[in-house]
Amino acid sequence: MKHVNASDIEGMEKIFRLNLINSISGYKSANLIATKSKEKGANVAVFSSVTHLGSDPALIGFITRPTTVPRNTYKNIKDTKYFTVNHIHQDMIAKAHQTAAKYDEEISEFTKTGLEEEYLDEFFAPYVKQCAVKIGCEYVNEYEIKENGTALVIGAIKHVYFDESIQTPDGWLRLEDAGTVTINGLDGYALPTLLDRFHYARPGQEIKSFFDKNESRD
């Protein structure tokens, strides 16, 4: 097994280090965050840092990179307070990845990638029409991460859209059925396969699968 220590990491070539450290943490969520400015139209960008923060209240968060250069997504959220989180699916990974390109502020990634804006229930920020799972969020707060100049942006979940067929009776979503992908590193897209799902773990109780021979996946 190869061993890499902190001094090895510090001495690596920049891109090699970037690829290693971005992939070593494991598979990450793959989402498009869409916003709209007050003057210059819509913006959409790929993010691999979106994460669940809590269900009551329903909160979601993502990491924004240092604002030493223009960050259109972050600026739009700060100006308008609204953004959407849209799952990337297997049939749209090339278009989604292209949103990472550094277009000028006045150019919408929607027009350059073939992704389509969709406005639902009078929500200010656009959703991505091609996405099968969409979340409408309102900015709540942010926390500076001083160690590297990034910030954790927190949004309250206001709207959720998905195909009813992927939801089980207990509320859980079968994202595999929706074709939701994950990201490995910065540029690798993978389609996960569900291996199992387990009941709530408690000390001294047998581990029990939802999918054993006596139970249905539906």
mmCIF file of all heavy atoms in Angstrom, residues 1 5 14 36 46 66 77 86-87 107 119 121 125 128 134 149-150 152 163 170 173 177 179-180 192 200 211:
data_model
loop_
_atom_site.group_PDB
_atom_site.id
_atom_site.type_symbol
_atom_site.label_atom_id
_atom_site.label_comp_id
_atom_site.label_asym_id
_atom_site.label_seq_id
_atom_site.Cartn_x
_atom_site.Cartn_y
_atom_site.Cartn_z
ATOM 1 N N MET A 1 0.844 -1.195 0.000
ATOM 2 C CA MET A 1 0.000 0.000 0.000
ATOM 3 C C MET A 1 0.882 1.248 0.000
ATOM 4 O O MET A 1 1.806 1.364 0.813
ATOM 5 C CB MET A 1 -0.910 0.006 1.234
ATOM 6 C CG MET A 1 -1.810 1.229 1.321
ATOM 7 S SD MET A 1 -2.927 1.188 2.745
ATOM 8 C CE MET A 1 -4.061 -0.078 2.189
ATOM 9 N N ASN A 5 2.775 11.172 2.994
ATOM 10 C CA ASN A 5 2.652 11.974 4.207
ATOM 11 C C ASN A 5 2.477 13.454 3.866
ATOM 12 O O ASN A 5 2.459 13.842 2.689
ATOM 13 C CB ASN A 5 3.844 11.754 5.148
ATOM 14 C CG ASN A 5 5.168 12.142 4.511
ATOM 15 O OD1 ASN A 5 5.235 13.058 3.698
ATOM 16 N ND2 ASN A 5 6.238 11.442 4.880
ATOM 17 N N LYS A 14 1.166 20.971 -8.568
ATOM 18 C CA LYS A 14 -0.145 21.505 -8.202
ATOM 19 C C LYS A 14 -1.314 20.644 -8.690
ATOM 20 O O LYS A 14 -2.214 20.303 -7.908
ATOM 21 C CB LYS A 14 -0.288 22.929 -8.752
ATOM 22 C CG LYS A 14 -1.649 23.560 -8.473
ATOM 23 C CD LYS A 14 -1.739 24.964 -9.056
ATOM 24 C CE LYS A 14 -3.109 25.563 -8.821
ATOM 25 N NZ LYS A 14 -3.213 26.935 -9.404
ATOM 26 N N LYS A 36 -30.106 33.550 -10.228
ATOM 27 C CA LYS A 36 -30.407 34.620 -11.178
ATOM 28 C C LYS A 36 -30.020 35.941 -10.549
ATOM 29 O O LYS A 36 -30.311 36.184 -9.377
ATOM 30 C CB LYS A 36 -31.900 34.618 -11.542
ATOM 31 C CG LYS A 36 -32.250 35.601 -12.658
ATOM 32 C CD LYS A 36 -33.701 35.456 -13.105
ATOM 33 C CE LYS A 36 -34.677 35.918 -12.068
ATOM 34 N NZ LYS A 36 -36.074 35.974 -12.557
ATOM 35 N N VAL A 46 -21.691 23.724 -11.714
ATOM 36 C CA VAL A 46 -21.583 22.413 -11.081
ATOM 37 C C VAL A 46 -20.906 22.547 -9.717
ATOM 38 O O VAL A 46 -19.922 23.279 -9.570
ATOM 39 C CB VAL A 46 -20.812 21.428 -11.985
ATOM 40 C CG1 VAL A 46 -19.412 21.929 -12.311
ATOM 41 C CG2 VAL A 46 -20.758 20.033 -11.354
ATOM 42 N N PRO A 66 -12.911 30.729 -2.423
ATOM 43 C CA PRO A 66 -12.560 32.112 -2.051
ATOM 44 C C PRO A 66 -13.059 33.132 -3.067
ATOM 45 O O PRO A 66 -13.037 32.894 -4.279
ATOM 46 C CB PRO A 66 -11.027 32.079 -2.002
ATOM 47 C CG PRO A 66 -10.697 30.661 -1.685
ATOM 48 C CD PRO A 66 -11.738 29.842 -2.400
ATOM 49 N N ILE A 77 -26.595 34.804 -4.988
ATOM 50 C CA ILE A 77 -27.263 34.360 -3.760
ATOM 51 C C ILE A 77 -27.266 35.473 -2.709
ATOM 52 O O ILE A 77 -28.280 35.720 -2.053
ATOM 53 C CB ILE A 77 -26.596 33.088 -3.207
ATOM 54 C CG1 ILE A 77 -26.845 31.913 -4.157
ATOM 55 C CG2 ILE A 77 -27.128 32.761 -1.816
ATOM 56 C CD1 ILE A 77 -26.078 30.654 -3.796
ATOM 57 N N ASN A 86 -29.906 21.183 -8.145
ATOM 58 C CA ASN A 86 -30.480 20.269 -9.126
ATOM 59 C C ASN A 86 -29.549 19.074 -9.326
ATOM 60 O O ASN A 86 -28.372 19.253 -9.661
ATOM 61 C CB ASN A 86 -30.670 20.993 -10.463
ATOM 62 C CG ASN A 86 -31.456 22.285 -10.325
ATOM 63 O OD1 ASN A 86 -32.656 22.316 -10.516
ATOM 64 N ND2 ASN A 86 -30.757 23.389 -9.994
ATOM 65 N N HIS A 87 -30.075 17.863 -9.129
ATOM 66 C CA HIS A 87 -29.247 16.670 -9.297
ATOM 67 C C HIS A 87 -28.765 16.530 -10.745
ATOM 68 O O HIS A 87 -29.532 16.751 -11.688
ATOM 69 C CB HIS A 87 -30.045 15.407 -8.962
ATOM 70 C CG HIS A 87 -30.252 15.204 -7.501
ATOM 71 N ND1 HIS A 87 -30.469 13.960 -6.942
ATOM 72 C CD2 HIS A 87 -30.283 16.083 -6.464
ATOM 73 C CE1 HIS A 87 -30.622 14.081 -5.631
ATOM 74 N NE2 HIS A 87 -30.526 15.360 -5.323
ATOM 75 N N ILE A 107 -22.609 36.348 -19.475
ATOM 76 C CA ILE A 107 -22.928 35.184 -20.299
ATOM 77 C C ILE A 107 -23.531 34.097 -19.418
ATOM 78 O O ILE A 107 -22.948 33.689 -18.415
ATOM 79 C CB ILE A 107 -21.678 34.649 -21.016
ATOM 80 C CG1 ILE A 107 -21.135 35.700 -21.981
ATOM 81 C CG2 ILE A 107 -21.991 33.354 -21.764
ATOM 82 C CD1 ILE A 107 -19.832 35.319 -22.640
ATOM 83 N N TYR A 119 -38.825 27.798 -14.418
ATOM 84 C CA TYR A 119 -39.302 28.537 -13.257
ATOM 85 C C TYR A 119 -40.584 27.880 -12.754
ATOM 86 O O TYR A 119 -41.523 27.675 -13.517
ATOM 87 C CB TYR A 119 -39.526 30.006 -13.611
ATOM 88 C CG TYR A 119 -38.223 30.713 -13.912
ATOM 89 C CD1 TYR A 119 -37.695 30.725 -15.206
ATOM 90 C CD2 TYR A 119 -37.500 31.333 -12.896
ATOM 91 C CE1 TYR A 119 -36.482 31.352 -15.475
ATOM 92 C CE2 TYR A 119 -36.287 31.962 -13.153
ATOM 93 C CZ TYR A 119 -35.786 31.970 -14.448
ATOM 94 O OH TYR A 119 -34.590 32.584 -14.707
ATOM 95 N N ASP A 121 -43.587 27.638 -9.592
ATOM 96 C CA ASP A 121 -44.293 28.182 -8.428
ATOM 97 C C ASP A 121 -43.780 29.555 -8.000
ATOM 98 O O ASP A 121 -43.619 29.828 -6.799
ATOM 99 C CB ASP A 121 -44.226 27.189 -7.262
ATOM 100 C CG ASP A 121 -44.950 25.888 -7.591
ATOM 101 O OD1 ASP A 121 -46.138 25.945 -7.943
ATOM 102 O OD2 ASP A 121 -44.305 24.816 -7.523
ATOM 103 N N ALA A 125 -35.353 32.028 -8.339
ATOM 104 C CA ALA A 125 -34.223 31.388 -9.016
ATOM 105 C C ALA A 125 -34.716 30.301 -9.967
ATOM 106 O O ALA A 125 -35.725 29.635 -9.693
ATOM 107 C CB ALA A 125 -33.268 30.791 -7.989
ATOM 108 N N VAL A 128 -33.097 23.685 -13.203
ATOM 109 C CA VAL A 128 -32.604 23.107 -14.449
ATOM 110 C C VAL A 128 -33.655 22.114 -14.939
ATOM 111 O O VAL A 128 -33.945 21.125 -14.272
ATOM 112 C CB VAL A 128 -31.250 22.414 -14.261
ATOM 113 C CG1 VAL A 128 -30.769 21.820 -15.586
ATOM 114 C CG2 VAL A 128 -30.214 23.409 -13.720
ATOM 115 N N LYS A 134 -35.073 18.389 -7.966
ATOM 116 C CA LYS A 134 -34.787 19.818 -7.876
ATOM 117 C C LYS A 134 -35.171 20.328 -6.494
ATOM 118 O O LYS A 134 -36.196 19.928 -5.938
ATOM 119 C CB LYS A 134 -35.576 20.601 -8.925
ATOM 120 C CG LYS A 134 -35.678 19.972 -10.309
ATOM 121 C CD LYS A 134 -36.662 20.763 -11.179
ATOM 122 C CE LYS A 134 -37.253 19.947 -12.299
ATOM 123 N NZ LYS A 134 -36.369 19.834 -13.451
ATOM 124 N N GLY A 149 -10.025 30.259 3.328
ATOM 125 C CA GLY A 149 -10.731 31.371 2.708
ATOM 126 C C GLY A 149 -12.047 31.006 2.026
ATOM 127 O O GLY A 149 -12.601 31.805 1.275
ATOM 128 N N THR A 150 -12.552 29.805 2.284
ATOM 129 C CA THR A 150 -13.834 29.403 1.710
ATOM 130 C C THR A 150 -14.952 29.717 2.705
ATOM 131 O O THR A 150 -14.714 30.259 3.780
ATOM 132 C CB THR A 150 -13.833 27.909 1.368
ATOM 133 O OG1 THR A 150 -13.617 27.156 2.577
ATOM 134 C CG2 THR A 150 -12.733 27.578 0.374
ATOM 135 N N LEU A 152 -18.984 28.144 4.151
ATOM 136 C CA LEU A 152 -20.118 27.232 4.110
ATOM 137 C C LEU A 152 -21.379 28.077 4.004
ATOM 138 O O LEU A 152 -21.707 28.837 4.926
ATOM 139 C CB LEU A 152 -20.160 26.366 5.370
ATOM 140 C CG LEU A 152 -21.420 25.519 5.563
ATOM 141 C CD1 LEU A 152 -21.568 24.482 4.450
ATOM 142 C CD2 LEU A 152 -21.410 24.846 6.933
ATOM 143 N N ASP A 163 -39.890 12.862 -9.223
ATOM 144 C CA ASP A 163 -40.886 11.924 -9.727
ATOM 145 C C ASP A 163 -41.374 11.058 -8.569
ATOM 146 O O ASP A 163 -40.573 10.434 -7.872
ATOM 147 C CB ASP A 163 -40.265 11.047 -10.820
ATOM 148 C CG ASP A 163 -41.296 10.221 -11.563
ATOM 149 O OD1 ASP A 163 -42.220 9.692 -10.905
ATOM 150 O OD2 ASP A 163 -41.168 10.082 -12.788
ATOM 151 N N ASP A 170 -41.869 5.113 3.161
ATOM 152 C CA ASP A 170 -41.347 5.791 4.354
ATOM 153 C C ASP A 170 -40.675 7.123 4.030
ATOM 154 O O ASP A 170 -40.041 7.729 4.899
ATOM 155 C CB ASP A 170 -40.398 4.869 5.125
ATOM 156 C CG ASP A 170 -39.111 4.559 4.366
ATOM 157 O OD1 ASP A 170 -39.020 4.894 3.167
ATOM 158 O OD2 ASP A 170 -38.191 3.974 4.969
ATOM 159 N N LEU A 173 -35.908 8.329 -0.922
ATOM 160 C CA LEU A 173 -35.869 8.411 -2.379
ATOM 161 C C LEU A 173 -34.861 7.437 -2.960
ATOM 162 O O LEU A 173 -33.705 7.377 -2.520
ATOM 163 C CB LEU A 173 -35.503 9.834 -2.829
ATOM 164 C CG LEU A 173 -36.458 10.955 -2.434
ATOM 165 C CD1 LEU A 173 -35.981 12.273 -3.017
ATOM 166 C CD2 LEU A 173 -37.885 10.660 -2.869
ATOM 167 N N ASP A 177 -32.868 5.052 -9.208
ATOM 168 C CA ASP A 177 -33.925 5.025 -10.211
ATOM 169 C C ASP A 177 -34.049 6.352 -10.954
ATOM 170 O O ASP A 177 -34.563 6.406 -12.068
ATOM 171 C CB ASP A 177 -35.262 4.671 -9.565
ATOM 172 C CG ASP A 177 -35.308 3.239 -9.060
ATOM 173 O OD1 ASP A 177 -34.348 2.485 -9.324
ATOM 174 O OD2 ASP A 177 -36.291 2.870 -8.395
ATOM 175 N N GLY A 179 -31.417 8.089 -11.801
ATOM 176 C CA GLY A 179 -30.212 8.268 -12.607
ATOM 177 C C GLY A 179 -29.265 9.305 -12.046
ATOM 178 O O GLY A 179 -28.404 9.822 -12.768
ATOM 179 N N THR A 180 -29.387 9.620 -10.750
ATOM 180 C CA THR A 180 -28.499 10.595 -10.119
ATOM 181 C C THR A 180 -27.068 10.055 -10.080
ATOM 182 O O THR A 180 -26.840 8.913 -9.695
ATOM 183 C CB THR A 180 -28.975 10.899 -8.688
ATOM 184 O OG1 THR A 180 -30.257 11.528 -8.753
ATOM 185 C CG2 THR A 180 -28.012 11.821 -7.961
ATOM 186 N N PRO A 192 -23.841 5.442 -9.226
ATOM 187 C CA PRO A 192 -23.816 4.513 -8.097
ATOM 188 C C PRO A 192 -24.890 3.435 -8.211
ATOM 189 O O PRO A 192 -25.946 3.645 -8.807
ATOM 190 C CB PRO A 192 -24.087 5.421 -6.889
ATOM 191 C CG PRO A 192 -24.864 6.564 -7.447
ATOM 192 C CD PRO A 192 -24.368 6.769 -8.849
ATOM 193 N N TYR A 200 -32.785 1.363 11.235
ATOM 194 C CA TYR A 200 -32.080 2.182 12.217
ATOM 195 C C TYR A 200 -31.245 1.299 13.150
ATOM 196 O O TYR A 200 -31.739 0.313 13.700
ATOM 197 C CB TYR A 200 -33.085 2.991 13.031
ATOM 198 C CG TYR A 200 -32.476 4.056 13.893
ATOM 199 C CD1 TYR A 200 -32.139 5.302 13.363
ATOM 200 C CD2 TYR A 200 -32.218 3.823 15.245
ATOM 201 C CE1 TYR A 200 -31.574 6.287 14.159
ATOM 202 C CE2 TYR A 200 -31.650 4.796 16.043
ATOM 203 C CZ TYR A 200 -31.333 6.021 15.496
ATOM 204 O OH TYR A 200 -30.762 6.997 16.289
ATOM 205 N N PHE A 211 -34.073 -4.987 2.466
ATOM 206 C CA PHE A 211 -34.200 -5.769 1.242
ATOM 207 C C PHE A 211 -34.007 -7.268 1.468
ATOM 208 O O PHE A 211 -33.619 -7.994 0.552
ATOM 209 C CB PHE A 211 -33.176 -5.283 0.197
ATOM 210 C CG PHE A 211 -33.276 -3.817 -0.092
ATOM 211 C CD1 PHE A 211 -32.158 -3.112 -0.504
ATOM 212 C CD2 PHE A 211 -34.478 -3.136 0.019
ATOM 213 C CE1 PHE A 211 -32.237 -1.748 -0.796
ATOM 214 C CE2 PHE A 211 -34.564 -1.779 -0.249
ATOM 215 C CZ PHE A 211 -33.432 -1.080 -0.655
#
